[in-house]
Amino acid sequence: MNKVYGAYLCTGCGIGNVLEVEGLKSAASETGIEMQEHECLCGAEGLALINKDIQEKGVNTLVVCACSPRVMQDVFSFGENTITIRANLREQVAWAAGDAEKGDEFIQELGEDYVRMAVTRAQKSELPKPYLLENISKKILVMGGGIAGLTAATEAAKAGYEVTLVEKTAKLGGKALGWRKMFPTAYPYCQLEQPNIEQLVAAATGSSKITVKTETEVARIGGAPGAFKVSFKAAGSKSEWDAPAKVTVDEQEKIDKGEKEDPNAGLQKYTAVDTAAEVYGAVVLATGWRPADVSEYEHLGYDGKKVVTNAEFEKLAKEGKVPAKVAFIQSPGGKDNDRDFPYCNSVTSMVALKQAQYVCDDNENGQAYILYQHIRTPGNTELFYKGMQQRDGVFMTKAAVTKAEECGSGLKVTAENTLLGDTLELEVDMVVLAAGMVPVTVDQPTINLAYRQGPAFLDLDLFDGYADSHFICFPYETRRTGVYTCGGVRKAETMEETIDDATGAALKAIQCIESADRGVAVHPRSGDMTFPDFFFQRCTQCKRCTEECPFGALDDDAKGTPLPNPTRCRRCGTCMGACPERIIGFADYNIDMIGSMVKSINVPDDDEDKLRIAVFVCENDAYPALDMAGMRRNKLNALVRFIPVRCLGSVNMVWIKDAMSSGMDGVLLLGCRHGENYQCHFVKGSEIASKRMANIGETLGTLGLEPERCAAEQVAISDYDKIPGIIESFVESIKEMGPNPFKGF
């Protein structure tokens, strides 16, 4: 691309009231680009000025110095054949200047540095070209034939996509086939309804776009979005890729003596249902859940006969075997008296209410006792809860159950800490335990991916065994691009919630396929046409990029050389940050670009009051929070220079070394929260960056620099009122250490 530059300065929104225009123009001209000004670039006249240059002068690389790049994106978009770089002079300079007057040298230097950085970024950017697959499949694979799988398949088919629906049992419908009734779905939300699972099955089997494979399992999934290669096997058969069962020493001795069957005896090449792998564009994982094991709660006396799980009671209810007096225990009590059973939420509360109605419906003097720590009935289901409160024969109380034991022909339940403060003893015919819905992914990989990082989703210890979709930042998406979860593998859900969930997953699968077809990123950088480029001649096969990629986008060959899968890539740049040889980059985001931006910052070497601090800012949480701080006119320290990055995981340590060697006095990383309540849109970027920063601190120590000159802070998007204080605290710590001793060298 033969670049023709144009630089434009907006003096409106207070920018011209705080900054000297000629100084900003001079900063641009230092880099060889002349800047024009206008009092309102986003207005009709301002845009006409820019468009005139595009049409008459052939300008195709624009530097717009105005408001934040997060606003007016459509206004300042001039087509796919142009590069537009924005300098944030409004939210992070003019509006964050506090009570500074025009001509304040600290604020003026801040604005001029942002102009230099924006021009440098434009000079180092190239027009991205999309990655296009030679052949793309638009078929969708749905794993699981329960409510979630049936819904995902039918919704995708309605949208015009071919679907293969795989179910390991002989019949579609899943656990819903065993339900007697389902929760109310229509006003006034007081009557249980007949299950509609048969209609869902009929819709799926009656669609010409859906191919159903029963008694079938997925043997292996390789490839990437748009070109997943899937092999199938007969349900229950062994696959060459199945993980061997773990066998203890004692068990092995019994196997050797013939006293125990070898669980790995049949582990051989799978019996293929299809002779060759089929190709799919995306995968929906809807393999469901199993009832939780409640036998560990000895004081509750689970035996599967008189003390049963809610799933077992539903089966009895469908068979018409509902006792007259039943206690529904929602929490284990004992030492965990303030907690619910694992893998529970509002579903188990609703199930208890539903099954309490069975007791009253089937018995003239039926009595149902619901003993709970928490009752959750969100949304319209609150109306059903209120109706059950008024139902004769239904009794509810907050209580900690201490024991369930045999008493004559029935059972006695003892509970304490009730709402009235009394100890309660109930004589009942049966006890029902609110067993949670355990996702099948806890017990088995299920999806069996042919990825370098392993056959299943990496264990983050964050989701209690659920597939690793983040409920806030990226619902349905897993850490394997193109694989979307719904139903019981994602969370415990009602039938209505499952249907909504499955529809969302189907839409995500469609979005993935269409994005791959256009050669752009799916999420969270939707529409991004860039993809990582590798200069393999200098690759040392260190494998850091393959190991640190949060999404398994990189496999490797026999020599350990990375094998990119561009349609798996989320464009976070973590591989770029990991590479010690600096051979990975994007057309409009690379090591040289950000390093050059850092070097374009003017660092005074003769003024101890004018310290310079580079702050690398995550574009997903930290940068929006900074903008919101500016919008609220919260003052930001004028000694810092904010440099937006895709993710802190993309921060290569050479940028920090460049900053310190150029005389910067400190470097701060501002990124998303990580750990138990992580909010990182790229899952592990902030965590990886924090670990790298610990290493850079050791390097600074060997150079005689304080490790504390470099730090990383976690912020949420809602921390806009805290960010000024976080930055100020770091600046004060740098002031105490004094200027960088390498300044001026």
Side-chain angles (χ1 to χ4, degrees):
M1 175 181 176
N2 184 25
K3 291 184 179 179
V4 179
Y5 295 96
Y8 307 90
L9 170 66
C10 180
T11 59
C13 294
I15 296 173
N17 298 333
V18 176
L19 297 169
E20 294 285 356
V21 172
E22 293 306 316
L24 298 176
K25 286 184 174 182
S26 177
S29 63
E30 289 175 13
T31 60
I33 299 177
E34 297 304 317
M35 178 184 284
Q36 301 178 65
E37 66 178 281
H38 193 277
E39 61 184 9
C40 184
L41 277 183
C42 63
E45 291 183 0
L47 292 173
L49 169 68
I50 297 173
N51 282 309
K52 182 180 179 182
D53 285 354
I54 293 173
Q55 295 167 8
E56 296 181 359
K57 299 179 182 178
V59 170
N60 56 19
T61 306
L62 302 94
V63 179
V64 177
C65 303
C67 49
S68 169
R70 298 184 62 254
V71 301
M72 297 191 182
Q73 294 178 348
D74 292 339
V75 173
F76 292 115
S77 177
F78 302 99
E80 291 186 355
N81 294 321
T82 60
I83 296 171
T84 302
I85 303 299
R86 309 270 298 275
N88 192 344
L89 298 184
R90 188 178 73 173
E91 284 82 352
Q92 294 180 12
V93 183
W95 287 1
D99 55 1
E101 297 181 356
K102 186 170 184 176
D104 183 301
E105 60 179 323
F106 286 85
I107 302 300
Q108 184 66 28
E109 290 170 353
L110 176 63
E112 292 175 7
D113 277 341
Y114 281 139
V115 170
R116 291 189 193 93
M117 283 195 286
V119 171
T120 301
R121 184 165 198 152
Q123 292 172 331
K124 296 291 183 177
S125 290
E126 296 296 334
L127 198 65
K129 296 179 181 179
Y131 178 85
L132 299 173
L133 293 168
E134 291 185 10
N135 298 294
I136 186 168
S137 171
K138 293 197 173 184
K139 291 170 61 179
I140 297 173
L141 172 66
V142 178
M143 298 173 60
I147 296 172
L150 291 166
T151 302
T154 53
E155 292 299 325
K158 287 178 186 177
Y161 292 81
E162 292 186 22
V163 180
T164 298
L165 178 61
V166 177
E167 167 58 39
K168 68 179 181 180
T169 67
K171 191 174 182 180
L172 296 177
K175 293 181 177 60
L177 295 173
W179 293 350
R180 171 170 159 174
K181 291 288 183 70
M182 70 180 196
F183 307 140
T185 60
Y187 186 82
Y189 297 95
C190 60
Q191 295 295 326
L192 296 177
E193 300 175 5
Q194 290 296 329
N196 60 358
I197 188 63
E198 295 297 341
Q199 292 93 313
L200 291 177
V201 172
T205 55
S207 173
S208 61
K209 289 191 171 292
I210 300 176
T211 300
V212 177
K213 293 177 180 287
T214 55
E215 297 183 285
T216 303
E217 293 180 87
V218 168
R220 192 70 157 171
I221 298 179
F228 283 116
K229 296 179 180 179
V230 183
S231 297
F232 301 99
K233 65 178 183 177
S237 64
K238 296 288 185 177
S239 162
E240 64 176 329
W241 299 297
D242 289 341
K246 295 180 180 179
V247 179
T248 65
V249 174
D250 291 340
E251 288 174 331
Q252 187 61 53
E253 289 181 358
K254 292 181 180 179
I255 292 170
D256 295 339
K257 294 177 181 178
E259 298 173 357
K260 180 179 175 64
E261 183 179 350
D262 185 353
N264 297 317
L267 195 61
Q268 54 190 355
K269 189 173 179 63
Y270 66 93
T271 303
V273 175
D274 297 286
T275 56
E278 296 183 26
V279 182
Y280 294 91
V283 179
V284 175
L285 181 64
T287 46
W289 57 277
R290 63 165 175 79
D293 181 8
V294 293
S295 60
E296 63 179 287
Y297 304 103
E298 295 181 3
H299 64 288
L300 299 180
Y302 171 75
D303 60 5
K305 298 176 182 178
K306 290 184 179 180
V307 181
V308 299
T309 65
N310 42 13
E312 291 167 336
F313 187 81
E314 188 73 18
K315 181 179 179 181
L316 293 173
K318 189 168 185 179
E319 296 171 351
K321 302 175 182 177
V322 179
K325 291 185 178 181
V326 181
F328 295 91
I329 299 177
Q330 300 302 103
S331 307
K335 62 182 180 180
D336 297 319
N337 63 358
D338 63 339
R339 299 176 59 188
D340 292 336
F341 289 102
Y343 298 99
C344 287
N345 65 5
S346 60
V347 181
T348 47
S349 296
M350 287 296 296
V351 168
L353 293 171
K354 177 181 74 166
Q355 294 178 345
Q357 182 167 321
Y358 297 161
V359 174
C360 296
D361 287 348
D362 290 12
N363 301 279
E364 183 177 355
N365 296 310
Q367 296 177 353
Y369 303 93
I370 300 178
L371 309 175
Y372 64 87
Q373 285 297 326
H374 311 96
I375 283 281
R376 304 177 180 89
T377 52
N380 292 320
T381 59
E382 183 76 7
L383 297 175
F384 182 67
Y385 167 64
K386 289 182 177 179
M388 292 301 294
Q389 280 185 312
Q390 305 303 318
R391 182 79 182 252
D392 290 340
V394 177
F395 308 93
M396 306 182 198
T397 186
K398 184 180 177 71
V401 177
T402 57
K403 195 165 189 179
E405 57 187 330
E406 290 190 11
C407 180
S409 60
L411 298 165
K412 182 173 73 173
V413 176
T414 305
E416 58 186 26
N417 297 326
T418 64
L419 288 175
L420 298 178
D422 299 330
T423 296
L424 182 68
E425 290 188 351
L426 300 172
E427 291 188 6
V428 296
D429 302 315
M430 182 172 283
V431 168
V432 179
L433 306 180
M437 301 165 66
V438 182
V440 296
T441 47
V442 167
D443 304 314
Q444 51 190 327
T446 304
I447 198 161
N448 210 10
L449 297 167
Y451 283 29
R452 179 191 188 279
Q453 291 80 2
F457 309 116
L458 295 182
D459 183 8
L460 294 178
D461 294 326
L462 297 177
F463 300 100
D464 296 325
Y466 289 110
D468 60 350
S469 171
H470 193 287
F471 295 97
I472 299 174
C473 294
F474 44 97
Y476 316 118
E477 297 104 337
T478 68
R479 291 181 68 187
R480 296 295 172 256
T481 311
V483 179
Y484 303 93
T485 59
C486 58
V489 292
R490 200 170 85 84
K491 63 174 181 173
E493 298 176 329
T494 65
M495 185 172 187
E496 196 171 19
E497 290 173 329
T498 299
I499 290 172
D500 288 344
D501 212 37
T503 303
L507 291 174
K508 280 292 185 182
I510 292 170
Q511 179 196 17
C512 174
I513 290 171
E514 295 304 324
S515 295
D517 192 31
R518 292 186 293 120
V520 301
V522 189
H523 41 69
R525 295 181 58 84
S526 299
D528 186 346
M529 287 193 292
T530 65
F531 58 92
D533 183 37
F534 294 74
F535 187 67
F536 287 119
Q537 291 88 332
R538 280 177 38 207
C539 179
T540 62
Q541 291 84 35
C542 72
K543 301 184 181 180
R544 284 182 57 182
C545 60
T546 57
E547 291 172 355
E548 292 191 8
C549 175
F551 307 109
L554 298 164
D555 294 320
D556 50 25
D557 62 17
K559 296 181 179 179
T561 303
L563 293 176
N565 294 279
T567 58
R568 292 186 200 169
C569 177
R570 306 264 178 105
R571 279 68 166 179
C572 61
T574 298
C575 56
M576 184 176 85
C579 182
E581 294 297 316
R582 305 187 292 281
I583 63 170
I584 308 173
F586 300 78
D588 60 359
Y589 184 65
N590 51 64
I591 302 294
D592 180 46
M593 172 194 292
I594 304 299
S596 297
M597 289 172 65
V598 170
K599 294 173 183 175
S600 71
I601 298 171
N602 184 28
V603 181
D605 57 9
D606 57 353
D607 193 334
E608 293 189 2
D609 292 330
K610 292 184 177 180
L611 302 177
R612 288 292 180 266
I613 297 166
V615 182
F616 294 99
V617 186
C618 160
E619 69 178 10
N620 290 302
D621 274 19
Y623 198 88
L626 281 169
D627 274 355
M628 287 189 282
M631 291 169 66
R632 288 161 176 76
R633 305 307 197 268
N634 292 339
K635 185 175 181 180
L636 297 171
N637 195 296
L639 298 179
V640 303
R641 304 294 185 262
F642 299 118
I643 303 170
V645 295
R646 293 186 178 183
C647 174
L648 290 193
S650 70
V651 175
N652 194 290
M653 293 299 103
V654 72
W655 295 343
I656 298 176
K657 295 174 183 177
D658 285 347
M660 300 306 292
S661 63
S662 65
M664 289 280 186
D665 301 287
V667 175
L668 178 65
L669 271 59
L670 280 182
C672 309
R673 298 191 183 281
H674 58 79
E676 184 176 356
N677 296 312
Y678 91 90
Q679 294 178 5
C680 178
H681 283 57
F682 298 109
V683 186
K684 300 212 28 118
S686 294
E687 181 180 347
I688 290 171
S690 295
K691 292 178 180 178
R692 293 177 189 160
M693 287 297 281
N695 295 331
I696 199 71
E698 295 176 6
T699 302
L700 293 179
T702 62
L703 296 174
L705 293 173
E706 300 87 344
E708 292 78 14
R709 288 187 183 273
C710 296
E713 292 286 348
Q714 303 176 50
V715 295
I717 196 170
S718 57
D719 287 341
Y720 49 83
D721 285 332
K722 299 177 183 177
I723 275 186
I726 293 172
I727 293 171
E728 193 65 35
S729 176
F730 184 70
V731 171
E732 289 301 317
S733 69
I734 297 299
K735 286 181 177 179
E736 291 179 6
M737 286 180 266
N740 182 344
F742 293 105
K743 194 184 295 285
F745 285 92

